[in-house]
Amino acid sequence: MISGKNIIGNKLSKQGDVTYKTFNPKTNKETNFTFYEATSVEINEAVELASEAYKVYKDLPGTKKAEFLEAIALEIEALGDELIETYCKESGLPDGRARGERGRTMGQLRAFAALLKDGSWVEAVIEKGQPDREPMPKADIRKMLFPLGPVVVFGASNFPLAFSTAGGDTASALAAGCPVIVKSHPMHSGTGELVSSAIIKAAEKTGMPNGVFSNLNSRGIEVGQQLVKHPKVKAVGFTGSLYGGMALYKLANERDEPIPVFAEMGSINPVVIFPSAFEAAGDVWATKYASSITMGAGQFCTNPGLVLGINGEQLDAFAKTLSQEILKLEPTYMLHPNIYGIYNEGKNDLSGQDGVTVIADYTKETSANVARPAILKVSGAKFLANPKLHKEVFGPFSVIVSCENAAQLEEILNNLEGQLTGTILGNEKDLSTYGNVVDALQSRVGRILFNGVPTGVEVCSSMVHGGPFPASTDARFTSVGTSAIKRWVRPVSFQDWPNKFLPKALQNENPLGIVRLEEGRYTN
């Protein structure tokens, strides 16, 4: 049952009297869920509790933290249909999407639990001392990763489960040994509260310290700002717009003690189509990309918003088929009237730019908040000359760029901003023939695909969900997959430390049985 209160450690809190409701985009009305804005007192209490919890939580064995993560997954599952129904009411997304995302969320938690049980993720490195070395003795130096401290996570609008309260940021931070304070997303605060209750139950059942997790409600930006500026917060995780991510990044860097903000932001995910792809399966790719562009009303950070090919009859035929196929698909609801409004503004703005042709525009009557898909087409020269055409339009929308030749295609890619993904459609010979184009695309993305669609991000140890700015604030890290844990840690070296006082991961006997780099060789 949803209370609408803030969750601060193991208690519900309602100190203020400012409230808001979530919104059902299908009914175009507010839900009956009322939430209380977190006050400054509640914010400070949550951070202080997290800071105290960190002192205990950071030193718990990996197996104990793994038990906590696995318990969270079980408690989320135990929420049953109430979670699914609340998710659907607050997002307008269908039942199947809700259940799939719940499964992904539980899978992420269990993947990090498995990582903790193995234990080798701490990257233990041992270089033993050589006191008799000439001309200078060598110290005994050992290194491993340690958690940063309390982490603030901002829930994402487009993934109420997998990128929100118990999503990848929270799961990876908890796995690293960092307590988490979630700033719940106002569009799905009810979903967030239910998941938060599951986390708290799991924390109590597994004996975690009070304050290892808190959930704070807010419709505006003030709560998030106060959290980022709090001196005891040590890092921030964010998935959302470029504007929101950069505002947090600036705040974090203006602190007396700057802290890292790991933000995943805007991306148009360019797709490069070589002539061989048209010859082999042009209509097939057009149909697949019509589905990819409109999946979830285009509300995916990996939505293919830019398609690039070399001018000619084949590209024209592809564009025609893509336009026909996309108009056959039934449009769906966007997450909120605000997102719907921003989508239409962006679509109309780009549609009116010089040299742009609208080749597909859904014109049938729809319900409120249902996004009408659109496809635009523009020449390579016009695209190069107009940076507006590079910006993300969050929704079922894509721009086809007709390039004069491979050289212009390469130039466009070299002038693109950083992206989460880039895709090549073609054959293996193309990878050599158009090597410069492939290299240009690879330099701009975090994940490069061959003959696929970018929507759909596998949760695995080899996944990179990040990329050069503005796709993310730090291209060295991923927000999806088990490597996401590395955002929340820092390396610490121990020099000439007595063996029994070293962390177990660095002790001579290797009591954890983990893989370590010893004297330049990996061994367990």
Side-chain angles (χ1 to χ4, degrees):
M1 183 176 177
I2 297 166
S3 70
K5 297 178 182 178
N6 296 289
I7 297 176
I8 301 175
N10 58 14
K11 72 171 185 177
L12 295 174
S13 177
K14 179 187 77 69
Q15 294 187 0
D17 54 9
V18 178
T19 62
Y20 67 93
K21 291 179 179 287
T22 52
F23 196 91
N24 186 332
K26 282 193 172 182
T27 62
N28 201 32
K29 294 178 181 178
E30 288 183 332
T31 66
N32 58 355
F33 306 136
T34 300
F35 301 92
Y36 293 89
E37 291 262 353
T39 64
S40 296
V41 172
E42 289 171 317
I43 292 166
N44 190 62
E45 184 180 354
V47 178
E48 290 291 344
L49 270 178
S51 185
E52 287 301 308
Y54 170 68
K55 297 174 184 178
V56 175
Y57 187 63
K58 67 181 176 64
D59 293 326
L60 291 178
T63 51
K64 188 67 176 172
K65 291 195 282 282
E67 183 185 346
F68 175 35
L69 297 182
E70 290 173 335
I72 295 172
L74 289 173
E75 293 296 336
I76 289 173
E77 188 172 31
L79 291 169
D81 289 343
E82 183 183 8
L83 177 63
I84 301 302
E85 290 164 5
T86 304
Y87 173 110
C88 294
K89 283 180 182 177
E90 293 185 322
S91 69
L93 296 169
D95 182 278
R97 162 71 186 269
R99 294 181 187 278
E101 199 178 325
R102 179 180 62 181
R104 177 190 172 113
T105 304
M106 291 156 50
Q108 288 176 155
L109 289 160
R110 288 169 175 149
F112 281 107
L115 186 76
L116 292 175
K117 288 177 181 178
D118 172 79
S120 301
W121 72 273
V122 297
E123 297 181 2
V125 180
I126 296 175
E127 299 241 3
K128 293 182 179 178
Q130 299 175 22
D132 299 327
R133 189 182 69 173
E134 295 291 345
M136 184 180 293
K138 178 185 176 184
D140 185 291
I141 302 175
R142 306 176 184 218
K143 181 184 74 169
M144 64 178 290
L145 300 176
F146 277 85
L148 292 174
V151 169
V152 168
V153 170
F154 288 78
S157 64
N158 58 335
F159 282 88
L161 292 174
F163 280 84
S164 289
T165 312
D169 286 350
T170 296
S172 57
L174 290 174
C178 298
V180 171
I181 304 150
V182 167
K183 208 298 281 181
S184 186
H185 200 286
M187 291 183 192
H188 46 75
S189 298
T191 304
E193 184 183 326
L194 289 172
V195 174
S196 296
S197 70
I199 297 173
I200 296 303
K201 284 181 182 177
E204 292 174 338
K205 286 182 177 180
T206 56
M208 294 299 110
N210 184 26
V212 72
F213 178 85
S214 293
N215 182 74
L216 300 178
N217 297 316
S218 176
R219 178 172 53 188
I221 62 174
E222 294 80 8
V223 170
Q225 289 175 331
Q226 289 183 54
L227 283 168
V228 173
K229 291 192 289 187
H230 198 291
K232 291 188 177 180
V233 167
K234 300 303 179 185
V236 175
F238 173 85
T239 301
S241 69
L242 176 61
Y243 175 82
M246 290 311 297
L248 297 177
Y249 185 79
K250 183 180 179 183
L251 272 179
N253 281 281
E254 288 174 345
R255 292 172 31 139
D256 291 339
E257 177 200 347
I259 57 172
V261 173
F262 298 104
E264 186 252 287
M265 303 178 290
S267 184
I268 53 175
N269 306 297
V271 179
V272 174
I273 309 183
F274 291 130
S276 64
F278 297 129
E279 294 163 6
D283 287 352
V284 172
W285 283 124
T287 301
K288 286 185 177 181
Y289 269 84
S291 296
S292 181
I293 291 165
T294 56
M295 182 184 295
Q299 299 169 117
F300 284 81
C301 45
T302 53
N303 192 56
L306 183 66
V307 178
L308 304 120
I310 297 172
N311 186 34
E313 291 182 1
Q314 291 175 319
L315 181 61
D316 290 341
F318 172 85
K320 182 179 179 180
T321 305
L322 176 64
S323 300
Q324 291 171 342
E325 291 299 320
I326 210 165
L327 295 179
K328 292 178 183 177
L329 301 173
E330 190 70 26
T332 53
Y333 292 92
M334 300 201 83
L335 295 159
H336 192 273
N338 291 347
I339 291 179
Y340 172 75
I342 292 169
Y343 167 66
N344 285 322
E345 287 176 13
K347 179 176 73 169
N348 294 336
D349 183 22
L350 267 60
S351 297
Q353 297 297 308
D354 181 44
V356 170
T357 303
V358 180
I359 62 173
D361 189 15
Y362 195 94
T363 57
K364 296 178 184 177
E365 282 295 314
T366 61
S367 302
N369 306 313
V370 170
R372 296 180 176 88
I375 303 292
L376 312 185
K377 193 176 181 186
V378 67
S379 70
K382 293 289 186 183
F383 184 84
L384 276 169
N386 189 351
K388 273 194 171 183
L389 295 172
H390 300 199
K391 74 177 184 178
E392 179 185 23
V393 176
F394 189 66
F397 175 92
S398 195
V399 178
I400 297 176
V401 180
S402 178
C403 304
E404 293 177 12
N405 48 42
Q408 187 181 66
L409 175 52
E410 180 186 347
E411 182 183 6
I412 288 172
L413 293 173
N414 282 326
N415 281 276
L416 274 184
E417 297 80 1
Q419 309 291 332
L420 293 171
T421 76
T423 303
I424 297 288
L425 301 183
N427 59 31
E428 291 186 15
K429 184 179 178 182
D430 293 328
L431 300 180
S432 299
T433 304
Y434 300 100
N436 289 344
V437 172
V438 176
D439 287 346
L441 180 61
Q442 182 177 323
S443 72
R444 307 313 301 143
V445 306
R447 175 167 58 110
I448 186 165
L449 297 87
F450 183 63
N451 286 342
V453 293
T455 40
V457 183
E458 185 69 29
V459 179
C460 62
S461 56
S462 54
M463 175 54 65
V464 173
H465 191 63
F469 182 85
S472 66
T473 48
D474 195 329
R476 296 171 297 171
F477 298 95
T478 177
S479 64
V480 174
T482 50
S483 293
I485 198 172
K486 294 182 180 179
R487 295 172 296 169
W488 318 116
V489 293
R490 64 183 180 89
V492 176
S493 285
F494 293 78
Q495 184 166 330
D496 290 332
W497 211 249
N499 184 63
K500 70 177 182 179
F501 290 103
L502 283 166
K504 287 185 177 180
L506 297 177
Q507 289 176 3
N508 290 330
E509 301 81 7
N510 193 8
L512 301 180
I514 63 175
V515 174
R516 309 189 297 189
L517 183 63
E518 296 190 32
E519 310 296 339
R521 297 179 62 187
Y522 285 102
T523 175
N524 61 357

